[in-house]
Amino acid sequence: MKIEHREAKRHVLTVTVDNEPGILAKITGLFTARGYNIDSLTVADISEDHAISRITIVTGGPPQVIDQIMAQLERLVPVHRVIDLTEEGPHVERELALIKVKGKGEDRVEALRIAGVFRANVVDTTTESFVFELTGAKDKVDGFISLMRELGLVEVGRSGIVGMMRGAEGA
């Protein structure tokens, strides 16, 4: 059962957790059990001793729903900190995508021209295809993929959103 919210607003949450088996399942289970949707989910080890991970979750909902999600996340034992980047202030969001495009002749030239405009890197090439690497805001990635559809898009792999507060302070 998906819960629809008229005043749903997109939120980027960062969750710092102990890097232990099952924590991701606990967090996604919390969302599933309450009918909250996860639009994007990324996880990475962030400590030198591999003891801490950072989970970035993009979700949506009115303020009371987001507050409830954050409170429930904070109650999980291996969770150290939950931050709503959207509410905290200015932050940076990025996504990585690998985009495979096939083509010959003019389509190939046009794909390379567009890649240059978007600052996409060619990370693999054959005589009939390219794999581009693109990093940027979600809208930038979406726009590049949309243009590549017309030129022979074959496959897309996306990392999901990662985010960080602007300024000198750490989370």
Side-chain angles (χ1 to χ4, degrees), residues 2 4 26 37 46 65 69 75-76 112 122 155 169:
K2 183 179 175 184
E4 297 292 330
K26 287 180 184 177
N37 192 40
I46 61 167
V65 169
I69 289 170
R75 282 196 289 269
L76 293 176
L112 281 173
V122 176
E155 184 178 2
E169 299 299 315

Side-chain angles (χ1 to χ4, degrees), residues 122-141:
V122 176
V123 294
D124 185 63
T125 186
T126 69
T127 57
E128 297 183 3
S129 69
F130 293 107
V131 175
F132 296 106
E133 173 190 71
L134 180 64
T135 304
K138 181 185 180 314
D139 291 344
K140 176 183 177 181
V141 174

Side-chain angles (χ1 to χ4, degrees), residues 97-125:
L98 296 176
I99 301 106
K100 185 185 292 185
V101 179
K102 68 177 179 177
K104 291 187 176 186
E106 286 302 311
D107 285 347
R108 190 172 173 84
V109 172
E110 183 65 2
L112 281 173
R113 187 190 70 73
I114 292 170
V117 170
F118 278 80
R119 294 190 178 124
N121 297 315
V122 176
V123 294
D124 185 63
T125 186

Side-chain angles (χ1 to χ4, degrees), residues 32-103:
T32 302
R34 287 150 184 89
Y36 305 142
N37 192 40
I38 295 175
D39 298 322
S40 174
L41 176 70
T42 58
V43 183
D45 172 13
I46 61 167
S47 62
E48 191 174 335
D49 63 358
H50 308 289
I52 306 292
S53 287
R54 182 178 178 142
I55 301 171
T56 305
I57 302 167
V58 179
T59 190
Q64 65 271 22
V65 169
I66 299 303
D67 290 344
Q68 182 183 25
I69 289 170
M70 291 180 62
Q72 290 168 343
L73 286 170
E74 288 171 342
R75 282 196 289 269
L76 293 176
V77 172
V79 171
H80 295 274
R81 189 163 185 203
V82 180
I83 299 172
D84 183 350
L85 295 179
T86 309
E87 295 298 320
E88 286 291 318
H91 63 281
V92 178
E93 294 177 27
R94 292 293 180 265
E95 181 177 6
L96 168 73
L98 296 176
I99 301 106
K100 185 185 292 185
V101 179
K102 68 177 179 177

